[in-house]
Amino acid sequence: MFHIMSMPNLALAVSIDMEQLTSDIVASISSAPRGTLNDALQQALARTVEARVHAQTAALLEGIGDAFYSLDAHWRFAYINRAAEAYFGLPRQAMLHKVIWDMFPESEGTDLRRRYEEVSLYGAPLSFEAEAVGRPGRHLEFHVFPYNGGVGVSFRDWTERNAAVEALRENDTRLKIATDAAEMGVWDWEIATDKVTMSDRAKAICGLAGSVAVSRETLLDTVHSADWDRFVQQVQRALDPAIREKRPFEYRIMRPDGSTAWVLAHGEVIFGSVDGEVRALRYVGTLQDITARKEAEEALRESEARLSALADNMPLGMVFQITMGRQREGRRFMYVSQNCLRVNGITPEKALEDPANLDGLILPEHLPHLIAIEAEALRDLKPMDVEVQMRHAVTGEVRWFQIISAPRLLPNGWLVWDGIQNDITQRKRVADALCQSEERLRTILNELPVGVMLMQVPQGDILFHNGKSTDLLGFKPTSAENMENLLQQGAEHPDGTPYQACEYPIARTLLTGEEIDQKEILYRRPDGRVTHLSMSSTLIPDPSGAESFAVSAFYDVTEQKRAETRQRLLINELNHRVKNTLATVQSLASQSFQRISPDPDSIAAARRAFESRLFALARGHDVLTRENWEGGNLREVVNEAFAAYRSLHPDGSDAIEIDGSDLWVTPPMVLSLSMALHELCTNALKYGALRASGGQVKISWSAVPEPTGTRLLLRWEEHGGPPVSPPARKGFGSRLIQDGVARELNGAAQVVYEPTGVICTIDVPLP
C-alpha cells in the first residue's frame, strides 16, 4: 500500500454544495420566466436528491471501518475516507486530483499496480493480500473494484492479525512439544453441551483406543471406587464459582483391561456470565500417568523404613565396617549389611567369613588404583572416595560402584573403616550417554555447512568451534584466543574501513546481550580472499544463573550476493533486449505493410512476408534461448535460417553449401544475421538461385585478425539461377541487410547484383 495518501473532506464538500444549491434554487426561481419555473424546480430537486445521495454515500464510506479511496478514469484521486487518512498520516488535500502513479513512482512494475490496472481494464473486482508499497513489513488486505468510471479500493492492515495467528500457531506447537515431552494428555469438557474431548495420549493413559469416542460417563467410569468421593469433591470445588479450585490432584483409575494406574490431573474451569449468573462453561486440563512415580515413592518409603531399622536394607548399595592394623594386618569385615547378597551376589556371612570372597569380585585392573587410594587415606587418616567395577557373584554382570570410606583410629591403635558401597552403574551409563551425546552433537556441528562458535560471557573466550568456522574465517580459533583479537581479522564496511571489535555481531551480543539475526558483513580472510558472511548471534543463559554463553552462527553468502548481482544484470539486459525486439518488430511491420494495395492478394502477401520475418526473428531468439541469451554458434544460426529453404538436386546434393568453422557470436549478431540471412533466402527463392532446379547458394565465413581487433567476414554467393539485374529501387530487404548491419553491429554489408547471381558480403567486428 502506498505509504502516504489523503483526500479532501467529502462531508465538507457536501455542505458547501448544499449552500450553493440553495442559492441556485433562489436565483433560478427569481430569474426564470413563469414558463420555465417548473424546469428550474425540477433541476433544483434533482440536485437536492443527488446531493443527499452523495452525502449518504460519504457517510457510508466514512463509517465502514476500512480505509477507502477511489480513483477516476485517469488514475487521479477522487476520494479518501478518514480511515485511510489516519492510516497514512497526511491531510487529504495533499492527494486530491493527483495521479496516483505520479505520487508513487515506486509502484512501477509492482504486482499491486498490475492488479489495479487489471481491474480497470477488465472491470472484474479483485481481493488479495499484498505487502504495502513504501511500508516494508506491513501486510494489507485489498478489495479493488470498478467504481464511478474508475476504481475503488478498500484495504485493512492485517499485519498484527497475521502476527497473532503465527504467535498462536507457535504457542500450539510449544504446548504440544511440552505435553509430549512431559508425556501428558489434554482433556476438555464443554459443560453446556456435555461434550468431552481428549488427546490421543490422554486416551492412552486411560487405556482407551485413539478412535474411541469419549463422553463424560466414559471418564467417570474410569475413576477407582476407592478415590470416587475425593474425586467428586475435587470436581465440585473446581466448578463452584466461589471456590474455583485449581490444585492438581492425584487419583487412581481402572483401565478397561482391569489394570490400575495412578494419574495426576491439572484442571482449570473457565467461567462466564449466563443470564446474568456466573457459571462454569468449560473445564480443561492435563492428565499425566504417575504410576511409575507412585510406585517409586512407595518403594522409597519402604526403603526408608528399612534403613531406619537396619542399614542393611539400602536399596542401591550396602553398609560395611572393616577393622585392621596400621599395616593392614588382620584385615576383616566387622559388619556387612544384608543388601550384600542383592548387590554383590554373596551373603553377608560369606563376606564376614573371608574378606577375599568380596574383594575378589573387584576387577583386577581396578585393584592397584584402589590399593593406592586406600594407602593414601590410611597415611593421612582421611576419607577415600574411589570408583571400581565389580562382577556379580551370581549373574556375572559387571557394574560400577562408588566406595566411600573413612578410617577411625581406635584407642588400641587399630583402625575401623566405616564405609558404604553405592551402585553407580546408572550414573555412569548416563554420563557415558551424555559424553556420546556431546560427541554426536560435536560431530553434527562439524558436519554443518554453517560456522558455529560458542563463547563465554563476558570474557569472550572461545569454548567450541566447528570445522566450518575454520574454513569460513580462514584460521583456527582456539579457546586461548580472546574474542577481541579474534574479531580484528578482516571485516570491512562497504566503504573499505575495517570493523571495530565492538561492531561485530557476536561482540554486540557479548557486550549488550543484543540478539543479531543474519547480519551480512564483508569479510577479508587472512589469505586475502573477500567473502560475504551472514552472521547471527544470541545469548544462552545458564538456568542456574552461574554463567552465560553466547553462540554465533555464520555462513558464506558470497555466491548468493553474486547471483543477486547477476540477476540484476540479466534483468537490465532483458529489459534492453525486449525494447530492441519491440523496435525491430515495429520496423518489420512498418516496412511490410507500407506499400500494400487494398486488394486481398496484396494484403495476404504482405502478411506472409511479415510473418516470415517474424519467424526469422523467432529462430534467432530460439538460438539465444538455448544458450541463456549469452550468444550463439554462428553455424547454428545459419542452419536455423536455412532450415525452411533447403532443397535437394536430382543427384541428391544440397542446393545450399555451408563453409565455416564454429564461431561464437553475440546476441545482437545472432538476431541481425538471422534477419539478414532470411531476406537473402527469400530473395533467392523468388528471383535467384533457389528458384531454379540447378541453382546453388554458397555461404562462407571466417574470423580475420586485424590490428584493431578480430572481424567476421561472411560471404553469400549465388550461381546457376536466372540472370540477375539490379533492382529499380532499393527494397526493404536490402535496407534491412545493409542498414541493420551498420546500425546494430557497427559493420558494413554490400549487395552486388552480378548477372550470374547475387553476392552479399558482411564485415563486422567480433568482441
Side-chain angles (χ1 to χ4, degrees):
M1 195 54 223
F2 310 102
H3 69 284
I4 55 171
M5 201 166 288
S6 58
M7 278 289 291
N9 190 315
L10 187 58
L12 179 60
V14 170
S15 176
I16 296 174
D17 289 343
M18 293 297 293
E19 294 175 3
Q20 182 64 45
L21 179 62
T22 304
S23 300
D24 290 347
I25 292 174
V26 174
S28 299
I29 294 175
S30 60
S31 62
R34 189 175 185 85
T36 62
L37 182 58
N38 289 336
D39 291 340
L41 289 174
Q42 290 177 359
Q43 293 176 5
L45 180 61
R47 293 186 61 185
T48 302
V49 172
E50 182 179 2
R52 289 184 177 179
V53 169
H54 281 304
Q56 292 173 356
T57 301
L60 177 63
L61 293 177
E62 292 295 337
I64 61 176
D66 290 347
F68 173 83
Y69 64 89
S70 64
L71 306 169
D72 64 17
H74 301 289
W75 301 104
R76 293 174 301 200
F77 285 102
Y79 174 69
I80 293 180
N81 70 356
R82 289 190 182 91
E85 182 181 39
Y87 180 83
F88 296 111
L90 287 178
R92 307 182 190 187
Q93 297 293 343
M95 300 290 293
L96 184 61
H97 305 311
K98 294 182 181 178
V99 176
I100 187 172
W101 313 133
D102 294 340
M103 294 298 298
F104 305 104
E106 65 269 24
S107 64
E108 179 70 29
T110 62
D111 186 62
L112 185 63
R113 176 167 177 172
R114 180 187 65 77
R115 290 174 182 264
Y116 278 32
E117 293 173 344
E118 183 179 340
V119 172
S120 176
L121 179 62
Y122 298 110
L126 288 176
S127 297
F128 54 91
E129 286 192 25
E131 186 175 21
V133 175
R135 296 282 295 274
R138 306 302 298 182
H139 293 271
L140 308 179
E141 180 188 49
F142 290 89
H143 298 284
V144 186
F145 49 89
Y147 182 77
N148 281 353
V151 295
V153 181
S154 67
F155 64 94
R156 63 179 61 180
D157 193 333
W158 281 133
T159 306
E160 283 72 22
R161 185 204 67 172
N162 293 344
V165 170
E166 183 62 27
L168 180 61
R169 185 180 297 111
E170 291 179 0
N171 287 338
D172 290 342
T173 301
R174 287 195 293 268
L175 175 61
K176 186 178 185 307
I177 292 173
T179 55
D180 289 348
E183 298 184 347
M184 292 190 299
V186 179
W187 50 269
D188 186 348
W189 175 27
E190 295 182 8
I191 298 173
T193 62
D194 209 23
K195 178 181 178 182
V196 176
T197 304
M198 296 180 70
S199 68
D200 290 344
R201 186 176 295 277
K203 292 180 181 179
I205 291 174
C206 294
L208 304 173
S211 59
V212 172
V214 180
S215 65
R216 181 166 58 91
E217 288 73 18
T218 306
L219 285 182
L220 295 178
D221 288 343
T222 64
V223 181
H224 196 284
S225 59
D227 295 329
W228 173 259
D229 292 340
R230 188 165 54 87
F231 175 85
V232 171
Q233 182 182 13
Q234 178 72 20
V235 173
Q236 289 175 343
R237 288 177 60 83
L239 297 176
D240 189 339
I243 301 176
R244 306 191 183 196
E245 183 66 75
K246 299 180 183 178
R247 289 182 304 169
F249 62 100
E250 301 173 355
Y251 64 95
R252 283 165 290 183
I253 61 172
M254 292 291 296
R255 292 172 173 153
D257 61 3
S259 63
T260 302
W262 277 94
V263 295
L264 174 65
H266 286 74
E268 182 173 353
V269 176
I270 300 174
F271 293 92
S273 178
V274 179
D275 298 331
E277 181 182 355
V278 177
R279 296 183 183 178
L281 303 180
R282 296 178 67 182
Y283 197 5
V284 296
T286 60
L287 197 67
Q288 186 176 12
D289 187 342
I290 60 170
T291 305
R293 194 198 78 190
K294 296 292 286 187
E295 292 174 350
E297 290 175 353
E298 182 64 25
L300 181 59
R301 281 192 295 270
E302 293 178 0
S303 175
E304 289 174 347
R306 288 194 302 268
L307 286 174
S308 65
L310 298 169
D312 51 31
N313 288 320
M314 286 181 56
L316 297 177
M318 72 168 194
V319 176
F320 63 86
Q321 285 183 321
I322 297 176
T323 181
M324 68 179 184
R326 294 296 297 261
Q327 303 301 320
R328 294 177 56 88
E329 69 274 13
R331 183 179 182 277
R332 65 181 179 83
F333 283 103
M334 297 173 56
Y335 169 76
V336 176
S337 67
Q338 292 297 320
N339 252 3
C340 183
L341 178 60
R342 181 174 63 83
V343 173
N344 298 304
I346 66 171
T347 63
E349 291 75 20
K350 278 282 189 180
L352 292 171
E353 178 184 328
D354 185 354
N357 291 332
L358 188 55
D359 295 341
L361 300 178
I362 301 174
L363 298 189
E365 57 266 30
H366 291 274
L367 283 174
H369 179 61
L370 174 61
I371 294 173
I373 294 296
E374 185 181 89
E376 182 181 349
L378 181 60
R379 183 185 69 244
D380 301 331
L381 291 179
K382 66 178 185 180
M384 74 171 190
D385 187 342
V386 64
E387 296 177 359
V388 296
Q389 283 183 294
M390 300 178 65
R391 188 180 304 277
H392 197 276
V394 176
T395 65
E397 180 186 8
V398 176
R399 298 182 69 84
W400 278 96
F401 291 93
Q402 179 187 31
I403 299 176
I404 303 174
S405 183
R408 289 185 290 118
L409 185 61
L410 298 179
N412 61 4
W414 278 59
L415 295 170
V416 174
W417 293 81
D418 300 312
I420 184 171
Q421 175 194 2
N422 285 326
D423 188 335
I424 59 169
T425 305
Q426 188 62 29
R427 191 189 76 187
K428 296 289 286 188
R429 288 173 179 171
V430 170
D432 291 342
L434 179 60
C435 290
Q436 294 174 9
S437 176
E438 290 178 349
E439 186 60 31
R440 286 194 297 269
L441 177 60
R442 188 181 300 272
T443 300
I444 292 172
L445 290 176
N446 281 326
E447 293 298 324
L448 287 177
V450 177
V452 178
M453 287 195 295
L454 181 68
M455 284 139 283
Q456 192 171 29
V457 177
Q459 301 93 325
D461 293 335
I462 301 174
L463 305 178
F464 169 80
H465 68 88
N466 67 347
K468 190 62 178 179
S469 63
T470 302
D471 298 337
L472 293 175
L473 298 177
F475 64 94
K476 185 176 181 179
T478 66
S479 59
E481 290 179 304
N482 186 271
M483 200 63 205
E484 184 175 355
N485 296 330
L486 169 66
L487 297 178
Q488 293 178 346
Q489 294 299 323
E492 299 177 353
H493 291 286
D495 61 1
T497 58
Y499 265 47
Q500 299 296 321
C502 60
E503 294 182 281
Y504 280 79
I506 185 59
R508 289 158 56 185
T509 300
L510 286 170
L511 297 174
T512 66
E514 179 181 2
E515 184 170 336
I516 307 298
D517 184 26
Q518 297 185 354
K519 169 69 175 178
E520 291 187 5
I521 66 172
L522 194 65
Y523 180 77
R524 187 177 300 276
R525 293 162 49 95
D527 58 9
R529 184 158 60 92
V530 177
T531 60
H532 291 267
L533 297 180
S534 177
M535 285 192 161
S536 300
S537 58
T538 187
L539 285 179
I540 305 177
D542 187 342
S544 66
E547 55 184 352
S548 297
F549 306 93
V551 64
S552 175
F554 48 94
Y555 58 96
D556 192 339
V557 294
T558 305
E559 287 304 318
Q560 176 183 334
K561 302 297 288 187
R562 290 173 180 168
E564 291 173 355
T565 301
R566 287 195 298 269
Q567 184 181 39
R568 286 194 295 270
L569 292 175
L570 288 174
I571 291 175
N572 293 336
E573 179 67 16
L574 178 61
N575 290 335
H576 173 71
R577 289 171 181 166
V578 167
K579 291 178 181 178
N580 288 346
T581 301
L582 291 176
T584 301
V585 172
Q586 183 181 17
S587 176
L588 292 177
S590 175
Q591 294 295 334
S592 299
F593 297 104
Q594 186 175 19
R595 294 185 177 90
I596 63 172
S597 58
D599 63 279
D601 292 340
S602 177
I603 294 174
R607 184 179 63 189
R608 287 193 297 272
F610 177 63
E611 289 177 349
S612 66
R613 287 165 178 153
L614 287 182
F615 290 150
L617 182 62
R619 285 192 291 272
H621 279 77
D622 289 341
V623 173
L624 291 174
T625 301
R626 287 194 292 269
E627 301 296 341
N628 294 323
W629 276 83
E630 295 178 357
N633 191 311
L634 180 56
R635 177 173 289 276
E636 187 177 358
V637 175
V638 172
N639 287 332
E640 287 285 348
F642 288 164
Y645 301 98
R646 290 202 168 196
S647 61
L648 296 176
H649 292 310
D651 60 358
S653 61
D654 198 335
I656 299 177
E657 178 183 353
I658 300 174
D659 180 17
S661 60
D662 289 340
L663 185 63
W664 191 263
V665 293
T666 62
M669 295 179 72
V670 171
L671 297 179
S672 295
L673 293 177
S674 295
M675 296 297 297
L677 292 175
H678 167 73
E679 295 299 329
L680 289 170
C681 287
T682 302
N683 185 72
L685 186 63
K686 288 182 178 180
Y687 312 109
L690 296 181
R691 181 179 180 181
S693 59
Q696 188 77 25
V697 173
K698 179 179 180 180
I699 180 170
S700 60
W701 66 85
S702 61
V704 179
E706 294 186 359
T708 58
T710 305
R711 302 187 70 83
L712 169 65
L713 299 182
L714 185 145
R715 180 180 177 86
W716 166 287
E717 185 175 357
E718 302 179 24
H719 59 84
V724 175
S725 59
R729 64 181 180 84
K730 188 177 181 179
F732 172 63
S734 298
R735 291 197 306 274
L736 188 147
I737 295 171
Q738 295 174 309
D739 298 345
V741 169
R743 181 180 63 255
E744 299 293 336
L745 305 181
N746 195 26
Q750 184 177 11
V751 181
V752 179
Y753 298 92
E754 296 288 347
T756 56
V758 172
I759 298 175
C760 176
T761 58
I762 296 176
D763 179 3
V764 294
L766 288 172

